[in-house]
């Protein structure tokens, strides 16, 4: 029996006759049907439930009747009982906006809003049903290339987000109930589809709404956690097959992405999902920046980073969300990120691995961020140098590397940044003078030059000598060594001595967002290279310091030429190499050349 028959049947309490019934009569008839089931008479109630079952291919009249029923139920929610009308509620919550005409969607959404606002008993069910629409059914996913289906997706999600927002405004408790549901319904990593990408798009839409004021932090944590999970799903070690005969700072990774995908189980879909998630995350941050709320969003983003990424040492890509946010607003977000990392490193209340990870992030960020003024980099280096100098003055007689891991991580951070920035730092007398205490740090009996990663130390000393910063013995050469037993000792089981989190972004689409603001090693002009008047010094010309006289060339840097990883994978293997490693410079002293004045 159809909706019209239910409402005009002579057995109904309110017979409006000939299908010409008013909304009031319809509502009274529906209420009568709802009341009858509690009196032991279920016929009219069963007919009401049956009238909500839409058969595929139903004509316009059937859809019109359904709209009438839904509107009547919206005005009768106070009469609905969660026990006696379980079958009716099951029919309502089992409906899908994806299967309905636009005017029917309007009526169903109105009913859901009424149910959620009238009684707290239905709030969770209404929110769960709406969240369930974040991921379309399979038939929609398979046809998303069609314009009609794309428009339908836009319409459905517009209704869904509008309903969630209205419920949140009517029921103050709704956002706090919504957030755990969002986390629970987040799609798992699936190697067969990209459902998580569609879901995150909707999370960001919520984050941009007033709901984001309440749940923005948790939404970013959900996204960051999923990015991390996808990041860890990829076996990056199989992709980063470096030549052990090449030095760390000579490496320019070949474009092995496709080969890596083939060697990774399910790699193609995981790569694609991670890349797409990063791109929509970048787009969301850019939208926040255009809306003038990036500074506010950044605090929530950093909280998610600190919770899920900071101590995840195998992450290769997800941390670039922070890098991109900083590149959008260097003066605020860019400074905040470095300052927060510095504060974590200097905090004695933080766990040792967290402090070491923070300074590794800080060093990698200061080295790679093309948007960071040299003056700011120099100020951060000064704080690190002063901290290491103070540590040397207060240390005890224990010189085991594992007893001074924080100190060595700070020293390595200084040298690593200077490998990228030394030319521009030494060109400014004030910045050069701020590095004077570094000499006593490097000459201290804790021997950071012997303990820190040899490849970093060797490149640093080579540039320091060429730049007139120190006079260094030529015998202090590490050749092709990439790590040592001593650096392993200070790096600990997490190998934080080899942790350079902002190595080149290895996902092509994501890299297109990062590369314009990223300093690749191939762009660095070390101090031992002669000046070339025809070339700009890439690591000097950065925002806030100097402007190029010529417009930058259009287009991103070639992806395959600029991917560089300096994360070492090889250990020295024999006593001869160890003996060579332990040789110290015969003399390290402040240069008396004119350049040092």
């Amino acid at each position: 029996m159809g909706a019209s028959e239910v409402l005009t049947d002579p057995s109904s309490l309110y017979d409006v006759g000939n299908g010409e019934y008013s909304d009031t009569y319809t509502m009274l008839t529906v209420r009568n049907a709802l009341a009858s089931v509690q009196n032991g008479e279920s016929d009219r109630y069963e007919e009401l439930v049956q009238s909500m079952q839409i058969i595929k291919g139903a004509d316009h009249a059937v859809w019109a009747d359904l709209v009438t029923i839904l509107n009547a139920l919206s005005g009768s929610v106070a009469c609905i009982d969660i026990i006696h009308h379980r079958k009716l509620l099951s029919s309502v919550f089992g409906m899908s906006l994806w299967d309905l005409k636009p005017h029917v969607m309007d009526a169903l959404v109105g009913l859901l809003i009424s149910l959620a606002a009238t009684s707290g008993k239905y709030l969770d069910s209404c929110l769960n049903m709406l969240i369930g629409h974040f991921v379309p059914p399979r038939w929609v996913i398979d046809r998303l290339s069609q314009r009609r289906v794309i428009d339908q997706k836009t319409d459905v999600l517009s209704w869904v987000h509008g309903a969630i927002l209205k419920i949140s405004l009517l029921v103050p408790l709704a956002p706090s109930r919504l957030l755990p549901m969002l986390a629970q319904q987040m799609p798992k990593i699936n190697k067969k589809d990209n459902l998580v990408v569609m879901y995150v798009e909707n999370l960001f839409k919520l984050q941009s709404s007033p709901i984001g004021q309440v749940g923005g932090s948790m939404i970013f944590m959900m996204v960051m956690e999923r990015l991390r999970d996808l990041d860890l799903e990829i076996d990056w070690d199989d992709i980063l097959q470096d030549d052990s005969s090449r030095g760390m700072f000579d490496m320019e990774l070949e474009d092995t992405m496709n080969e890596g995908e083939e060697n990774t189980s399910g790699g193609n879909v995981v790569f694609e999902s991670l890349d797409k998630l990063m791109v929509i995350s970048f787009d969301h941050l850019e939208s926040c920046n255009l809306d003038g709320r990036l500074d506010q969003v950044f605090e929530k983003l950093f909280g998610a980073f600190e919770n899920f990424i900071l101590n995840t040492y195998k992450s290769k890509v997800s941390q670039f969300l922070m890098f991109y946010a900083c590149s959008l607003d260097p003066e605020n977000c860019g400074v905040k990120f470095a300052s927060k990392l510095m504060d974590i490193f200097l905090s004695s209340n933080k766990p040792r691995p967290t402090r070491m990870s923070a300074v590794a992030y800080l060093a990698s960020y200061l080295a790679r961020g093309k948007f960071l003024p040299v003056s700011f980099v120099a100020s951060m280096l000064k704080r690190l140098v002063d901290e290491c100098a103070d540590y040397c003055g207060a240390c005890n007689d224990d010189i085991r590397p594992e007893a001074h891991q924080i100190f060595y991580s700070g020293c390595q951070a200084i040298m690593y940044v200077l490998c990228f920035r030394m030319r521009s730092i030494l060109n400014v007398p004030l910045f050069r003078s701020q590095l004077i205490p570094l000499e006593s740090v490097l000459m201290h009996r804790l021997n950071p030059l012997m303990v820190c990663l040899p490849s970093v130390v060797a490149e640093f000393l080579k540039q320091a000598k060429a730049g007139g910063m120190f006079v260094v013995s030529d015998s202090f050469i590490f050749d092709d060594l990439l790590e040592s037993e001593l650096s392993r000792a200070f790096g600990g089981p997490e190998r934080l001595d080899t942790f350079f989190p902002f190595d080149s972004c290895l996902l092509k689409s994501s890299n297109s967002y990062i590369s314009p603001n990223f300093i690749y090693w191939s762009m660095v002009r070390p101090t031992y290279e002669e000046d070339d008047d025809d070339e700009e010094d890439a690591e000097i010309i950065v925002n806030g310091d100097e402007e190029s006289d010529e417009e930058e060339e259009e287009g991103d840097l070639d992806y395959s030429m600029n991917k560089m990883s300096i994360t070492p994978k090889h250990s020295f293997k024999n006593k001869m190499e160890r003996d060579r490693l332990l040789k110290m410079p015969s003399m390290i002293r402040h240069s008396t050349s004119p350049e040092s004045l």
Side-chain angles (χ1 to χ4, degrees):
M1 181 177 291
S4 297
E5 295 174 286
V6 171
L7 298 176
T8 60
D9 187 271
S11 62
S12 297
L13 181 60
Y14 298 95
D15 182 3
V16 296
N18 299 321
E20 297 178 359
Y21 42 83
S22 68
D23 292 341
T24 301
Y25 280 158
T26 304
M27 189 178 300
L28 291 174
T29 304
V30 167
R31 290 180 179 181
N32 178 58
L34 294 173
S36 66
V37 71
Q38 300 186 51
N39 298 326
E41 300 176 4
S42 60
D43 290 346
R44 280 173 286 182
Y45 171 73
E46 293 294 339
E47 291 171 354
L48 176 63
V49 173
Q50 183 63 33
S51 69
M52 299 181 64
Q53 309 301 317
I54 296 297
I55 301 175
K56 187 176 181 179
D59 58 24
H60 177 76
V62 175
W63 289 110
D65 289 346
L66 179 58
V67 170
T68 302
I69 293 291
L70 293 173
N71 287 334
L73 285 171
S74 295
S76 307
V77 290
C79 303
I80 299 176
D81 182 82
I82 196 170
I83 302 297
H84 293 93
H85 303 130
R86 186 174 299 167
K87 188 180 292 186
L88 174 68
L89 291 169
S90 179
S91 294
V92 171
F93 295 131
M95 298 177 76
S96 172
L97 296 176
W98 296 104
D99 300 327
L100 304 179
K101 305 287 186 182
H103 61 294
V104 185
M105 282 194 278
D106 186 18
L108 177 58
V109 166
L111 174 57
L112 293 174
I113 293 172
S114 297
L115 281 169
T118 300
S119 173
K121 293 180 291 186
Y122 308 120
L123 178 61
D124 286 2
S125 297
C126 293
L127 292 175
N128 263 314
M129 177 187 174
L130 291 168
I131 295 171
H133 287 80
F134 283 1
V135 177
R138 174 53 58 184
W139 69 266
V140 174
I141 296 174
D142 292 341
R143 295 173 175 82
L144 277 177
S145 59
Q146 301 176 15
R147 182 73 257 174
R148 178 183 60 82
V149 178
I150 294 175
D151 291 341
Q152 182 182 8
K153 176 188 173 186
T154 302
D155 290 341
V156 168
L157 293 177
S158 178
W159 282 113
V160 168
H161 284 278
I164 292 175
L165 178 58
K166 192 163 186 179
I167 290 172
S168 298
L169 295 174
L170 293 172
V171 186
L173 180 66
S176 62
R177 300 294 302 165
L178 175 69
L179 294 170
M181 298 177 194
L182 290 172
Q184 186 177 12
Q185 292 200 36
M186 171 82 84
K188 303 298 181 184
I189 298 173
N190 191 323
K191 295 182 173 61
K192 296 182 179 180
D193 52 46
N194 289 317
L195 299 182
V196 67
V197 176
M198 302 180 196
Y199 195 86
V200 169
E201 287 177 337
N202 287 284
L203 288 182
F204 280 141
K205 193 168 184 178
L206 283 177
Q207 200 281 325
S208 298
S209 74
I211 295 173
Q213 299 293 326
V214 178
S217 296
M218 188 167 180
I219 289 174
F220 274 120
M221 287 189 182
M222 293 179 218
V223 175
M224 198 71 87
E225 183 179 19
R226 187 57 75 239
L227 286 172
R228 180 202 63 186
D229 293 345
L230 284 168
D231 207 337
L232 297 180
E233 184 80 3
I234 299 172
D235 191 353
W236 296 106
D237 289 339
D238 286 345
I239 297 169
L240 303 175
Q241 297 295 331
D242 300 334
D243 184 353
S244 61
S245 66
R246 303 171 70 181
M248 176 186 295
F249 290 96
D250 294 327
M251 292 182 185
E252 291 288 345
L253 284 184
E254 297 178 359
D255 191 357
T256 58
M257 186 66 68
N258 292 332
E259 179 182 351
E261 289 176 351
E262 293 173 0
N263 293 334
T264 305
S265 177
N268 289 327
V269 172
V270 177
F271 263 78
E272 182 182 352
S273 295
L274 180 56
D275 206 7
K276 287 183 177 180
L277 274 184
M278 291 297 294
V279 167
I280 63 175
S281 299
F282 291 151
D283 288 340
H284 178 68
L285 291 176
E286 188 170 356
S287 174
C288 292
N289 187 45
L290 293 174
D291 292 341
R293 58 190 188 92
L294 181 61
D295 193 49
Q296 174 188 356
V297 164
F298 183 82
E299 296 296 331
K300 301 170 183 176
L301 184 65
F302 185 85
F305 164 80
E306 189 173 5
N307 275 281
F308 292 105
I309 306 298
L310 180 59
N311 289 318
T312 304
Y313 311 116
K314 291 186 178 181
S315 172
K316 293 288 185 182
V317 175
S318 45
Q319 57 262 36
F320 277 98
L321 214 56
M322 300 303 305
F323 190 95
Y324 186 68
C326 293
S327 72
L328 292 173
D329 186 8
E331 293 183 359
N332 292 308
C333 298
V335 170
K336 279 184 180 180
F337 185 54
S339 299
K340 286 177 179 290
L341 291 172
M342 179 71 79
D343 290 343
I344 293 173
F345 172 63
L346 298 179
S347 174
S348 59
N349 296 324
K350 297 289 185 180
R352 173 195 54 78
T354 300
R355 296 177 65 185
M356 295 175 67
S357 179
V359 80
Y361 264 101
L362 177 62
S364 194
Y365 173 66
L366 295 176
R368 299 291 196 170
K370 191 176 181 181
F371 48 86
L372 295 174
V374 173
S375 56
F376 178 71
V377 175
S379 69
M380 290 288 106
L381 282 175
K382 182 181 185 303
R383 291 184 66 183
L384 288 174
V385 170
D386 290 346
E387 174 66 18
C388 291
D390 291 344
Y391 187 93
C392 289
C395 74
N396 54 32
D397 295 331
D398 187 352
I399 61 172
R400 293 175 299 115
E402 55 269 27
H404 305 281
Q405 292 172 305
I406 301 295
F407 168 73
Y408 290 122
S409 63
C411 292
Q412 180 162 300
I414 295 168
M415 290 187 283
Y416 179 77
V417 174
L418 286 172
C419 287
F420 283 79
R421 302 279 194 169
M422 189 174 296
R423 179 186 288 264
S424 55
I425 295 290
L426 296 185
N427 280 344
V428 181
L430 174 62
F431 301 160
R432 176 190 284 264
S433 67
Q434 291 173 347
L435 296 178
I436 290 176
L438 183 58
E439 177 183 3
S440 62
V441 172
L442 298 180
M443 288 295 294
H444 193 269
R445 56 193 171 84
L446 289 177
N447 285 333
L449 292 176
M450 186 169 61
V451 176
C452 293
L453 201 64
S455 46
V456 173
V457 173
E459 177 65 25
F460 164 76
L461 290 176
K462 187 177 180 182
Q463 290 203 43
K465 180 180 180 181
M469 183 178 180
F470 302 126
V471 175
V472 183
S473 169
D474 290 334
S475 64
F476 192 71
I477 300 174
F478 290 94
D479 295 335
D480 300 324
L481 295 180
L482 291 182
E483 61 186 63
S484 72
E485 288 181 351
L486 293 174
S487 66
R488 282 178 177 272
F490 109 72
E494 302 91 355
R495 294 313 314 276
L496 290 175
D497 58 312
T498 65
F499 184 48
F500 305 98
F502 288 122
D503 277 359
S504 304
C505 182
L506 300 176
L507 299 177
K508 290 187 178 181
S509 297
S510 301
N511 186 63
S512 67
Y513 288 77
I514 299 300
S515 61
N517 296 295
F518 189 84
I519 296 178
Y520 295 89
W521 179 247
S522 59
M523 299 164 60
V524 174
R525 293 287 307 285
T527 57
Y528 48 77
E529 286 189 4
E530 294 183 1
D531 291 333
D532 187 343
D533 295 336
D534 296 331
E535 294 184 11
E536 296 281 4
D537 188 343
E539 59 104 4
I540 295 178
I541 307 301
V542 294
N543 295 341
D545 288 299
E546 190 172 348
E547 294 182 359
S548 174
D549 293 332
E550 299 179 359
E551 294 183 359
E552 295 183 1
E553 295 183 1
E554 295 183 358
D556 296 333
L557 295 170
D558 183 77
Y559 179 76
S560 62
M561 293 298 294
N562 282 316
K563 285 193 302 177
M564 170 204 170
S565 171
I566 65 167
T567 302
K569 301 182 182 304
H570 313 285
S571 60
F572 74 93
K573 301 176 181 178
N574 56 55
K575 185 176 183 299
M576 182 181 298
E577 290 178 338
R578 179 177 180 178
D579 292 341
R580 182 171 56 185
L581 169 67
L582 297 180
K583 290 181 181 179
M584 290 294 293
S586 59
M587 183 178 185
I588 300 180
R589 60 183 175 82
H590 197 64
S591 173
T592 58
S593 66
E595 292 180 356
S596 67
L597 300 178

